[in-house]
Structures are given as C-alpha cells and as structure tokens.
Amino acid sequence: MARSLLPAPDARGPFSPGFWRSPLRGTWFTSVLGVVLLAGVTVLFVTGLLSYAAYNPDLSPVNDKTPDKGILGFYLFSWPTDPPWLYRLTQGVHVTLGLALVPVLLAKLWSVVPRLFTLPPARSLTHALERISLLLLVGGALFEFVTGILNVQLDYVFPGSFYPLHFYGAWVFFGAFLAHAVLKAPVAFRNLRRMREGGEERADGQADELAAPRPDPPTVSRRGALGLVGGGSLLLLATSAGRSFDGPLRQTAVLTPHGGPEPGGGPNGFQINKTAAYAGIRADETGEEAWRLAVTGRSGTVRLSRADLLGLPLHSAALPIACVEGWSTSDQWWRGVRLRDLAALVGHDGPVDVFVESLQRRGAFRHAALRANQVGDPRSLLALSVNGEELTPDHGHPARIIVPAAPGVLNTKWVARLTFGAL
C-alpha cells in the first residue's frame, strides 16, 4: 500500500490541537500565574498613575506630555511633598516589580498560546469579543513591558515620546486586563483551591482546554516549572533593585544603567541622569561673572548673582533624588535658599506656583512647573551646595531646584530663571 503523503495529525501546525504537546499546560498552572499577575499588574497600574500625577500634568502645558488625555486625567491631584521619599518608593516599586514580573508574564503567555490558534476564530459574538479582548490584553502587555524596559535602559528607540505612549498603552492594557480578570478570576481562584496537580479537570466542570490532548512525557512537574518562573523573577529582582540604594547594594543592579559603582567620590559622588556636557552647559555661562538668576514676580524682576544668593538666609534639607527610570539615591544634604523666600522677594506673601527655566539647551524638561504646595514647603530649595560642598557642573552648578517627593526631572538643574505666579 502506498504511504500516505498527508501530514501526521500532530504536524499540521499550531492550529491543530495535537501540535501543542507540553504536559505543563493546564488550567491550574495558568491560574497560579494569572493570580500573581492580577495582584502585580494592579500594583503596576496604580503606581504608574501615581507617577503620572507626580509630574503635575494639569499644572502647566510645560509638564503635560499628554495634552489630549481628556477624561483619562480624571484622577489627577496635587502631588504631596510628604513623605519626602514618596516618589522614591512608588516609582521604585513600579519599575522593580515590572522587571520582576517579566518571567511570570512570559510564562502566562506561553501557557495560553494554544488559545490564540483555536478554530474557528469566533464561534459567537460573545466569543469574538473575548478573542478581541485577549488580543488587546496580549498586545497591550507586550507593549507596556517592552516600552517600560526600554525606558529603564535609556534606549529611546520607540516612535514618539515615552510618556504618552506608555500612558495611553496602560489604559488600553489595563482595560483589557480588567475585562479578562472579571471573566476568568472566579474560575482561577476555584482552580487554586482544588490544587489538582494533573489539572485535567477545571473547577467549572468543563474539559481543560489548555491541557495537551496527547502530551509528551513530563520532565518537570508543574510546581517545578512554577519554581523556575519564581526563581527567574527573584533573579531579576536581585539584579535590579539595588539601583534604589547607595553604596555596595547599587553594584548588584547589573541589569540597569545606574547599577555599578557610584560616579566618582566625594560629596557630589552620587547618581545623575544627564551631564552638563550632554545638556550643552558651557563653563563660560555659569561662572561668577556671567551667571545671574532672574527672579520674576508680582513686584517685578530681580537679578541675583551666586554671591547675592549666598548672602540670603540659607537653609538645609535632607532629600533623595528619585527618577522615573526607577533609580534613586539616599538622602543628600542640600543647602540653599528657600523657594518661598525667593517668592517673597518679588512680592508674593504666600506660596504660589513657579515656572522654572534652565540653561539646558535640549531635552524634554529644560523647563518645568511646580505647584504652590511644593514652593511653600520649607524643604524646597534653590540649592547651592550638597553634602557640604559646592555643586559640581553635573549636579547643576551654579544652582538647582530640590523639592521633597518630586520626580528627578522636576528638580531642575542649571537654573536661569524663576517666574512666580505666572501659571
């Protein structure tokens, strides 16, 4: 008899159920991963929105990187200055948790990939809507994690600005994620309670659509596979979390740009994102003879040299620097003139908003705006020195802003002008 030229049932490609042979796939395995992601992604979404609020996008078009956000900005509020480490905590959790969840996300996508190839594509209108939400969920997850990781690595290869892309992508992803969680979470929790290692029966009494119909012999248990995923997450956590600390712990953050040794020693030997050379700051414009700070307010404009500023009442504050990429420093001792005192110098008796302009010639935040509550905080300074030493050029010499709990980019360096009450 002639040998059949038809492919074997298991070789007909991914649209054939027999193509998927792993014995690890199953509802219980997917449910465990899903519950972890349910908690983790919720925390990511909340801390991401808090980061967006910390930039004060409703205060001024200067800070607003998503001017067409519409109702998506319903939750925005005046970002507080207490506790002073607030942004360091929320953004550190956001970025570190996001990196640690990568193995869980990849394992979850791997566990459900056969569902993406089921035929027919839509058996009913309800099924079609579920498939569309699943595509939005998978696409949104990949988009958010990829753009976030690229931003942490300072690789801005995506089209357009990171802020609107990540913001709008987050809403699309979380909307699909929420719809998926409402549909699947009850079954997932029931499956976990059953704790069936085989996973061939689901808690809703239906056949397990994720289990392979003809699985290959197992080489590892499902609990072993979960242990491998958890180990990968712990490894990413251990090799990235250190960038939120100073000293030896920072050197453990080998997967992030701000891991490794501190950039230099001495009082100014702590992390920065951009150097004076990158920002286009020239030494001839920051010298004692050339540089003057313009302070504008209700009573007009005054111009102050660095010597004039040093002659005003000086105050100190212990504050960290925290960046959107998730890295931060411990408290540094800053000394300078209070912002509210500079506001009073130009006719403002109470705290008011301020528009800050830098000598920086390129970059998204060479101008920034601060709210009245930030200006009014006694720890908010136009800093002239740090840790007992004059600021270096890379840390903002001759003067820089330092505000408690504010994202690093709002702590403007190389300040040239302060305009109070103009927003």
Side-chain angles (χ1 to χ4, degrees), residues 168-373:
Y168 292 129
W171 280 105
V172 171
F173 166 54
F174 194 75
F177 176 81
L178 187 61
H180 187 74
V182 169
L183 292 172
K184 301 298 183 182
V187 174
F189 282 111
R190 287 197 297 270
N191 280 319
L192 289 181
R193 284 197 297 268
R194 293 176 69 92
M195 297 294 288
R196 295 182 64 96
E197 176 66 25
E200 299 301 326
E201 296 180 11
R202 303 191 334 179
D204 55 8
Q206 300 180 22
D208 191 341
E209 297 178 357
L210 296 176
R214 289 182 297 277
D216 289 331
T219 56
V220 63
S221 69
R222 286 173 178 166
R223 284 189 172 85
L226 289 175
L228 182 63
V229 173
S233 292
L234 290 175
L235 179 62
L236 287 176
L237 178 68
T239 53
S240 60
R243 73 201 181 294
S244 296
F245 304 92
D246 295 330
L249 278 178
R250 188 175 296 274
Q251 299 184 42
T252 66
V254 296
L255 297 183
T256 59
H258 292 289
E262 301 287 3
N268 279 261
F270 56 93
Q271 286 291 341
I272 58 171
N273 237 14
K274 66 183 82 169
T275 65
Y278 171 84
I281 305 301
R282 302 193 309 268
D284 61 353
E285 62 187 344
T286 59
E288 185 65 35
E289 297 300 321
W291 182 81
R292 294 293 183 273
L293 173 70
V295 183
T296 300
R298 181 181 298 158
S299 62
T301 299
V302 297
R303 296 185 179 276
L304 304 170
S305 67
R306 185 176 164 85
D308 294 331
L309 290 168
L310 289 170
L312 297 175
L314 300 180
H315 300 270
S316 298
L319 299 172
I321 292 286
C323 191
V324 69
E325 287 91 8
W327 67 267
S328 61
T329 74
S330 59
D331 287 350
Q332 311 296 326
W333 279 98
W334 307 90
R335 188 163 178 80
V337 183
R338 286 175 173 168
L339 293 182
R340 67 184 189 184
D341 292 345
L342 291 171
L345 195 64
V346 288
H348 295 280
D349 296 331
V352 291
D353 302 334
V354 64
F355 177 56
V356 185
E357 300 174 72
S358 172
L359 293 172
Q360 180 180 336
R361 288 178 172 78
R362 58 177 179 171
F365 285 92
R366 58 186 180 275
H367 305 143
L370 298 171
R371 290 188 185 273
N373 69 304

Side-chain angles (χ1 to χ4, degrees), residues 11 25 43 51 53 93 132 196 213 252 295 362 405 420:
R25 288 192 178 92
V43 173
S51 178
V93 168
I132 292 172
R196 295 182 64 96
T252 66
V295 183
R362 58 177 179 171
F420 289 96

Side-chain angles (χ1 to χ4, degrees), residues 61-78:
V62 176
N63 291 22
D64 193 352
K65 302 305 175 185
T66 52
D68 300 322
K69 60 188 176 296
I71 62 172
L72 297 182
F74 71 92
Y75 72 95
L76 296 172
F77 57 95
S78 296

Side-chain angles (χ1 to χ4, degrees), residues 30-97:
T30 300
S31 296
V32 174
L33 298 171
V35 169
V36 173
L37 286 176
L38 176 63
V41 169
T42 300
V43 173
L44 288 182
F45 185 67
V46 172
T47 52
L49 293 184
L50 289 176
S51 178
Y52 189 75
Y55 277 75
N56 298 331
D58 267 353
L59 175 64
S60 165
V62 176
N63 291 22
D64 193 352
K65 302 305 175 185
T66 52
D68 300 322
K69 60 188 176 296
I71 62 172
L72 297 182
F74 71 92
Y75 72 95
L76 296 172
F77 57 95
S78 296
W79 187 250
T81 56
D82 273 310
W85 41 259
L86 178 61
Y87 190 74
R88 184 185 186 191
L89 172 66
T90 59
Q91 194 61 12
V93 168
H94 181 76
V95 174
T96 304
L97 179 60

